[in-house]
Amino acid sequence: RLDAAFARIAVRDGEIRAWSALDEEGAKRQGESVALETPLAGLTLGVKDTIDLAGLPCESGCAALEGRVAFMDAALVAQLKACGAVALGKT
């Protein structure tokens, strides 16, 4: 499922340009650890660039924040992951 999502992004995002950063390896690690009984098991999502996603840029489209990388997930992202969602990257 994740491979299909990243393949679709690779095909379409050159035209759409919705993604500012992708984390294929991180998403695969998340996907491997998702418990099937969680409410959002395997649901894929993109995280808006204004919301912290650990290890990825969080610049909010602002020159003053250029190069800023989140060191931890925002509470919202952590809760979604705890419910089984898998973050593909930043939009």
Side-chain angles (χ1 to χ4, degrees), residues 3 39 50 58:
D3 290 334
T50 59
C58 189

Side-chain angles (χ1 to χ4, degrees), residues 4 7 12 16 19 22 47-48 54 65-66 68 73 90-91:
R12 299 297 309 267
I16 298 170
W19 295 90
L22 291 170
V47 177
K48 179 125 176 87
L65 297 176
E66 188 173 332
R68 179 183 178 274
D73 290 335
K90 303 294 290 283
T91 60

Side-chain angles (χ1 to χ4, degrees), residues 30-65:
Q30 286 176 56
E32 291 169 357
S33 65
V34 169
L36 295 178
E37 65 274 358
T38 56
L40 301 178
L43 175 78
T44 57
L45 59 99
V47 177
K48 179 125 176 87
D49 190 38
T50 59
I51 301 171
D52 284 351
L53 180 59
L56 292 182
C58 189
E59 300 174 343
S60 302
C62 177
L65 297 176

Side-chain angles (χ1 to χ4, degrees), residues 5-17:
F6 282 109
R8 181 79 171 156
I9 291 168
V11 168
R12 299 297 309 267
D13 200 50
E15 176 185 345
I16 298 170
R17 299 182 352 193

Side-chain angles (χ1 to χ4, degrees), residues 2-3 6-7 22-30 87-89:
L2 289 175
D3 290 334
F6 282 109
L22 291 170
D23 186 13
E24 194 166 347
E25 293 302 316
K28 287 181 180 181
R29 280 193 306 275
Q30 286 176 56
L88 302 181

